[in-house]
Amino acid sequence: MGRPQVKTDDVFIEVAGHRLSPLRSGALWLDSERILVVSDLHLEKGSYFAARGQMLPPYDTHATLTQLESLCQSLRPKRVISLGDSFHDRAAETRLTSETAERVRMLTRACDWVWVEGNHDPHPPLHLGGRAAGEERAGALVFRHEPTGETGEIAGHLHPAAKVRGRGRSVRRRCFVTDGDKLVMPALGAFTGGLNVLDAAFSALFAKGVVAFALGSDRVFALTGRQLVPDDRPASTWRL
């Protein structure tokens, strides 16, 4: 189980013998099984905060679903695995408009759609289609929400972000993070934050170091440990 392989003209990640393609959207594509993996959609996060007096633009669910629709139309997956926290809270489904709920149903009707249970949505709303699972497997890969460090694991929850500095400025991007044995995915949701990959939460999972695959505007960039820098503010101020 070595370091992840990187091919410059077609970036991919090798985990537990499976070749995975990290996409600029933050989704993961397993071509051999035609599986599309997304994580931490946090649908209706904007309306959740608006109800509590923090007024965010109410377009996050629309933006996230538009991204999902585009991915499914272009890739035609046989299975979609949404790695938990697909809905921001247990009442999120009740705040969907009828039109938005039907957009979700159209997605779930088109393939085998799996809602992996997350800490925000331990009981995904099955009236929107799809099926719920504590975890899902494909060959040597296991898909779950919170990472445990198991070999072959594809997880979410931590919302990884990579920060690099150069030419007098720093850039921070959502990213995939892996050591070749396991992988943590970025959040796909429009209003989701990110935890720096140098945080202790990641070092506990990836003791031998990491490669971060950062999401650029036109491609995915592979970044090794020496290129990464920590955030200026402590990680304790950011909550999952």
Side-chain angles (χ1 to χ4, degrees), residues 181-200:
D181 292 341
K182 63 197 85 72
L183 180 146
V184 177
M185 292 188 54
L188 193 76
F191 286 166
T192 49
L195 184 64
N196 193 295
V197 295
L198 298 183
D199 186 84

Side-chain angles (χ1 to χ4, degrees), residues 55-221:
M55 304 308 294
L56 296 175
Y59 307 122
D60 57 310
T61 296
H62 171 76
T64 302
L65 290 178
T66 299
Q67 182 81 270
L68 281 171
E69 289 161 349
S70 177
L71 286 165
C72 289
Q73 288 167 9
S74 62
L75 294 170
R76 302 294 180 186
K78 290 184 178 179
R79 191 183 345 172
V80 173
I81 303 174
S82 186
L83 285 183
D85 288 2
S86 303
F87 300 86
H88 185 67
D89 61 281
R90 299 188 187 196
E93 60 173 299
T94 67
R95 300 194 300 277
L96 295 173
T97 65
S98 58
E99 293 81 6
T100 301
E102 183 55 26
R103 289 176 70 185
V104 177
R105 292 189 188 100
M106 288 182 68
L107 285 167
T108 59
R109 282 197 294 262
C111 62
D112 177 19
W113 191 286
V114 185
W115 301 109
V116 173
E117 298 163 4
N119 57 297
H120 281 253
D121 56 353
H123 304 290
L126 297 186
H127 68 86
L128 295 173
R131 57 186 174 89
E135 63 182 36
E136 184 77 359
R137 292 185 178 266
L141 299 176
V142 56
F143 302 87
R144 59 171 62 99
H145 180 60
E146 296 192 34
T148 66
E150 179 181 350
T151 295
E153 180 179 76
I154 310 295
H157 184 59
L158 293 178
H159 303 197
K163 184 177 179 181
V164 295
R165 185 174 289 122
R167 297 183 181 180
R169 69 188 187 99
S170 62
V171 177
R172 196 176 193 273
R173 300 284 188 182
R174 292 181 298 142
C175 70
F176 301 84
V177 59
T178 182
D179 62 358
D181 292 341
K182 63 197 85 72
L183 180 146
V184 177
M185 292 188 54
L188 193 76
F191 286 166
T192 49
L195 184 64
N196 193 295
V197 295
L198 298 183
D199 186 84
F202 291 104
S203 59
L205 292 168
F206 302 103
K208 66 181 181 182
V210 300
V211 173
F213 289 82
L215 311 183
S217 57
D218 58 354
R219 63 190 177 98
V220 175
F221 296 85

